[in-house]
């Protein structure tokens, strides 16, 4: 059959990741109902449009119960969170370094499910989780304590022009590993990715201080961005409960924000797309691809196209507006990128809910035996996975569409509020149309992929 | 003025409600009625010269319905079905029949790892 040289792709399609069966596609009626609902609500928001911005994180909401506030802002809590992050990281490293290169190694599930998807769901409910548990921040903090320096300060100031671009690149590196790289479920490559991540994070922390993590840690940027949809904010040292829309308004429009948003949305869309029957058939039956072994190239190009495509649609949609004299149109994409975050969350729920619920449980069971020795350290070894969600495909399909449409509605409201804040009064309505079309395109595209996949 | 967002949200809910009701109306929870009473689904598979036909067709199948792969192969090999517990079906060179059943709704990919190709995607519902 021939020898497969290391590093060369053996065939046309990369084998896919962990987890067994995938979700069923949603019915065409459901997809169309969703798209119609999204479109209708968008125009209603536009028609009933308010003329003065109303989501102000500085004044919105009320203080949380005093006990909760004291707990969450206490040193004990932040230490407990840092310890939790370090313990889970240590356990994962233990499984990665000393465990077997088998799919029963819980490291894969911890990396692709607990971290990549779990972090999103926990951040949406609890706020910026990764910032609290990040092992890189903790190790940086420990080094600083030992050497007697300040973890917030590095050798240099983090350059503002760099912004979130390193995080966008890091996120792209993750989705490339998960979705395109043929050996995404082999221990060596994933372990190498993680080692490189930790190395870059520690180096960055030493060079630029904690600002590096806020700007350039892909997981922290992801978690903090999604965390803006939670109702929690700390104001004047006290925990407050505010409207997610007010919280979303506090997203800092740094350089590279559009890149981050584009990679997050584009990659989720690509994940759906690459499992769709038309793409699978195309890559496997096309003679040009077959003869020149271009299956991997096709997947690479498709991922890139989706991410760049989202960036282009977002940029064009947000720039099609009149502006104040002296205000630059080029600022618009960055100022409006935050409104895509709810759409991203809706789509992550739609695409990964059953995956997280089922493969997440499976990972918890496998985590009891990290070295595949037959051990049962956590006592979960003989549990079985509850597949309830998969056995209720209609309910699951409804949840998916409601999540996507809800994400769209929140996004449209956020974009409108930002538009009335930024644009000259006579462009308040017309200036939003481009952005509205862009968002309807994202939502309809997302619903189509849920139907076609 | 402060009631406008509330109005929007309640209008939004009013629009989402018929959506939810409409999709509940066409509920088709998989029940036990399909297994044992439906005929097995036969899929013809041809393995020749290092490639397999079909090349990624999407095929509808019932929960609990027997799936029969009617295989004509020039070399022995393995089919891998990505059900919840991955299933491996060995086939010899020549003609053979391999059967499997999927009890859980979802999309199951059947592929060959030796030839590195997705053969069919079974849409089980």
């Amino acid at each position: 059959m021939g020898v497969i040289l290391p590093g060369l792709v053996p065939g046309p399609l990369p084998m896919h990741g962990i987890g067994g069966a995938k979700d069923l596609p949603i019915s065409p009626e459901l997809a169309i109902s969703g798209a119609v609902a999204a479109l209708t609500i968008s125009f209603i928001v536009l028609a009933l449009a308010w003329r003065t911005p109303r989501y102000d994180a500085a004044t919105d909401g009320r203080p949380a119960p005093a006990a909760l506030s004291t707990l969450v802002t206490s040193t004990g809590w932040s230490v407990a969170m840092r310890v939790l992050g370090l313990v889970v990281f240590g356990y994962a490293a233990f499984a990665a370094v000393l465990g077997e290169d088998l799919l029963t190694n819980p490291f894969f599930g911890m990396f692709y499910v607990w971290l990549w998807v779990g972090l999103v769901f926990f951040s949406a409910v609890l706020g910026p989780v990764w910032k609290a548990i990040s092992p890189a921040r903790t190790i940086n903090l420990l080094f600083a304590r030992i050497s007697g320096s300040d973890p917030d300060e590095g050798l240099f100031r983090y350059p503002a022009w760099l912004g979130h671009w390193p995080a966008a690149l890091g996120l792209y590196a993750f989705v490339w590993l998960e979705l395109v790289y043929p050996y995404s479920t082999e221990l060596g490559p994933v372990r190498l990715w993680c080692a490189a991540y930790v190395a870059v994070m520690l180096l960055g922390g030493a060079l630029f201080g904690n600002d590096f993590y806020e700007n350039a840690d892909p997981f922290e940027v992801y978690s903090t961005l999604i965390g803006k949809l939670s109702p929690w904010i700390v104001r004047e040292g006290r925990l407050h409960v505010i409207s997610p829309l007010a919280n979303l308004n506090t997203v800092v429009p740094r350089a590279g924000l559009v890149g981050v948003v584009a990679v997050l949305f584009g990659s989720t869309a690509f994940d759906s797309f690459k499992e769709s029957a038309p793409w699978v058939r195309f890559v496997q039956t096309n003679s040009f691809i077959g003869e020149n072994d271009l299956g991997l190239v096709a997947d690479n190009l498709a991922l890139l196209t989706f991410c760049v495509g989202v960036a282009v649609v977002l940029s064009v949609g947000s720039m099609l507006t009149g502006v104040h004299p002296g205000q630059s149109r080029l600022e618009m994409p960055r100022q409006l990128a935050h409104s895509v975050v709810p759409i991203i969350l809706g789509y992550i729920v739609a695409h990964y809910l059953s995956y997280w619920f089922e493969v997440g449980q499976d990972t918890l069971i496998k985590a009891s035996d990290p070295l595949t020795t037959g051990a049962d350290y956590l006592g979960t070894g003989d549990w079985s996975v509850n597949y309830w969600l998969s056995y209720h495909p209609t309910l699951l399909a409804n949840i998916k569409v409601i999540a996507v449409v809800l994400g769209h509605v929140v996004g449209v409201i956020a974009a409108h509020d930002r538009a009335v804040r930024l644009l000259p009064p006579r462009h308040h309505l017309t200036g939003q149309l481009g952005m509205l079309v862009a968002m309807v395109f994202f939502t309809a595209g997302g619903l189509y992929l849920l139907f076609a996949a | 003025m402060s009631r406008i967002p509330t109005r929007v949200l309640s209008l939004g809910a009013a629009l989402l409600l018929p959506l939810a009701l409409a999709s509940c109306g066409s509920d088709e929870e998989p029940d036990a009625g399909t297994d044992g009473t439906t005929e097995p689904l036969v899929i013809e598979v041809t393995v020749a010269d290092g490639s397999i036909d079909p090349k990624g067709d999407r095929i509808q199948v019932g929960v609990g319905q027997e799936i029969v792969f009617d295989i004509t192969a020039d070399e022995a090999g393995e089919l891998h079905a990505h059900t919840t517990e991955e299933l491996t079906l060995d086939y010899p060179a020549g003609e053979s029949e391999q059967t499997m059943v999927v009890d859980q709704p979802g999309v199951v990919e059947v592929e060959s790892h030796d030839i590195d190709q997705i053969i069919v995607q079974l849409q089980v519902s």
Side-chain angles (χ1 to χ4, degrees):
Chain A
M1 291 286 283
V3 174
I4 296 173
L5 295 171
L8 277 189
V9 181
L13 268 186
M15 290 297 121
H16 48 79
I18 57 176
K22 316 262 181 245
D23 290 339
L24 287 167
I26 63 178
S27 68
E29 300 86 25
L30 200 55
I32 292 171
S33 314
V36 167
L39 199 65
T40 319
I41 297 174
S42 306
F43 280 104
I44 291 176
V45 170
L46 206 61
L48 294 175
W50 50 99
R51 294 310 172 100
T52 54
R54 59 184 47 259
Y55 296 110
D56 187 352
T59 55
D60 194 270
R62 67 175 89 89
L68 188 62
S69 177
T70 329
L71 173 69
V72 165
T73 51
S74 67
T75 325
W77 177 261
S78 53
V79 168
M81 288 299 108
R82 294 251 87 90
V83 167
L84 176 67
L86 218 50
V87 164
V88 178
F89 172 70
Y91 199 80
F94 175 62
V97 171
L98 297 175
E100 302 289 328
D101 188 0
L102 296 169
L103 285 177
T104 51
N105 190 326
F107 178 58
F108 298 113
M110 292 174 82
F111 186 64
Y112 288 124
V113 185
W114 286 10
L115 173 60
W116 188 243
V117 185
L119 185 64
V120 175
F121 293 155
F122 280 109
S123 300
V125 174
L126 300 174
V129 169
W130 191 253
K131 186 169 175 176
I133 67 174
S134 162
R137 268 191 188 253
T138 309
I139 296 172
N140 186 50
L141 180 68
L142 290 173
F143 279 166
R145 289 270 179 271
I146 292 170
S147 65
S149 58
D150 184 358
D152 282 328
E153 301 272 321
L155 292 175
F156 309 104
R157 285 200 61 160
Y158 189 86
W161 59 263
L162 202 51
H164 289 309
W165 286 113
L169 247 113
L171 289 168
Y172 194 86
F174 185 99
V175 298
W176 180 85
L177 175 74
E178 184 188 21
L179 301 175
V180 175
Y181 186 61
Y183 307 105
S184 60
T185 49
E186 286 186 20
L187 196 55
V190 183
R191 193 168 52 197
L192 180 63
W193 195 102
C194 288
Y197 163 77
V198 173
V200 171
M201 288 300 115
L202 292 180
L203 185 65
L207 287 175
F208 299 106
N210 278 334
D211 266 355
F212 180 78
Y213 299 117
E214 198 171 315
N215 280 278
D217 179 348
F219 301 126
E220 182 162 329
V221 170
Y222 194 4
S223 159
T224 305
L225 214 53
I226 297 283
K228 298 285 183 186
L229 290 169
S230 75
W232 310 105
I233 197 173
V234 176
R235 239 169 22 212
E236 296 145 18
R238 269 213 73 176
L239 185 69
H240 284 75
V241 179
I242 69 171
S243 150
L245 281 159
N247 210 351
L248 192 57
N249 226 354
T250 62
V251 171
V252 181
R254 296 189 181 102
L257 183 62
V258 175
V260 168
V261 159
V263 170
L264 292 176
F265 192 71
S267 64
T268 314
F270 170 71
D271 195 354
S272 227
F273 175 72
K274 84 167 180 134
E275 285 159 1
S276 66
W279 178 251
V280 167
R281 281 196 55 79
F282 168 70
V283 174
Q284 295 195 144
T285 54
N286 183 287
S287 50
F288 181 70
I289 291 178
E291 281 159 26
N292 298 294
D293 222 355
L294 292 173
L296 190 61
V297 172
D299 272 351
N300 266 305
L301 283 176
L303 175 61
L304 192 61
T305 307
F306 269 84
C307 294
V308 170
V310 169
V312 167
V313 169
L314 171 59
S315 301
V316 169
S318 57
M319 290 199 281
L320 283 173
T321 173
V323 290
H324 286 294
Q327 185 182 32
S328 165
R329 264 202 192 81
L330 295 175
E331 267 294 295
M332 290 293 124
R334 193 185 299 178
Q335 293 287 345
L336 284 164
H338 72 302
S339 58
V340 183
V341 176
I343 299 184
I344 290 172
L345 179 63
Y347 203 43
I348 297 280
V349 169
H351 194 74
Y352 293 116
L353 182 65
S354 66
Y355 176 72
W356 173 76
F357 182 64
E358 291 165 3
V359 187
Q361 287 178 63
D362 189 52
T363 305
L364 184 59
I365 295 172
K366 290 186 161 76
S368 214
D369 186 12
L371 305 181
T372 323
T373 50
D376 193 6
Y377 300 137
L378 303 177
T380 60
D382 53 1
W383 288 4
S384 57
V385 179
N386 182 329
Y387 288 104
W388 186 84
L389 261 183
S390 279
Y391 280 101
H392 292 83
T394 311
L395 174 68
L396 186 57
N398 289 349
I399 292 175
K400 288 172 191 249
V401 173
I402 290 174
V404 169
V405 172
L406 206 58
H408 177 92
V409 171
V410 174
V412 166
I413 294 176
H416 174 75
D417 207 65
R418 184 57 62 92
V420 300
R421 203 180 283 267
L422 280 184
L423 299 177
R426 73 176 182 283
H427 291 295
H428 275 178
L429 287 186
T430 55
Q432 281 186 64
L433 285 176
M435 196 61 200
L436 194 70
V437 170
M439 293 171 112
V440 169
F441 176 72
F442 287 153
T443 298
L447 288 169
Y448 174 73
L449 284 171
L450 284 172
F451 151 71
Chain B
M1 272 290 271
S2 64
R3 290 171 62 213
I4 292 177
T6 326
R7 218 194 301 163
V8 169
L9 291 171
S10 41
L11 270 167
L15 279 158
L16 285 177
L17 200 56
L19 157 75
L21 288 172
S23 34
C24 285
S26 56
D27 198 305
E28 285 155 31
E29 299 295 7
D31 52 16
T34 46
D35 51 3
T37 54
T38 348
E39 287 190 6
L41 176 75
V42 179
I43 302 172
E44 290 187 14
V45 177
T46 316
V47 183
D49 301 321
S51 103
I52 307 183
D53 199 68
K55 287 185 161 54
D57 289 351
R58 177 74 64 109
I59 300 180
Q60 305 269 9
V61 100
V63 175
Q65 182 179 13
E66 201 179 309
I67 304 157
V68 178
F69 291 104
D70 199 352
I71 307 173
T72 311
D74 60 354
E75 278 184 348
E78 288 181 350
L79 295 181
H80 290 219
H82 284 267
T83 43
T84 300
E85 288 289 328
E86 185 175 314
L87 191 60
T88 305
L89 298 167
D90 294 301
Y91 58 85
E95 296 202 5
S96 62
E97 279 191 2
Q98 307 295 330
T99 56
M100 61 178 277
V101 174
V102 186
D103 289 317
Q104 186 181 307
V107 173
V108 172
E109 287 192 346
V110 180
E111 45 193 25
S112 161
H113 285 192
D114 329 291
I115 294 179
D116 208 26
Q117 184 195 311
I118 293 174
I119 302 166
V120 288
Q121 291 180 323
L122 300 169
Q123 193 166 307
V124 185
S125 59

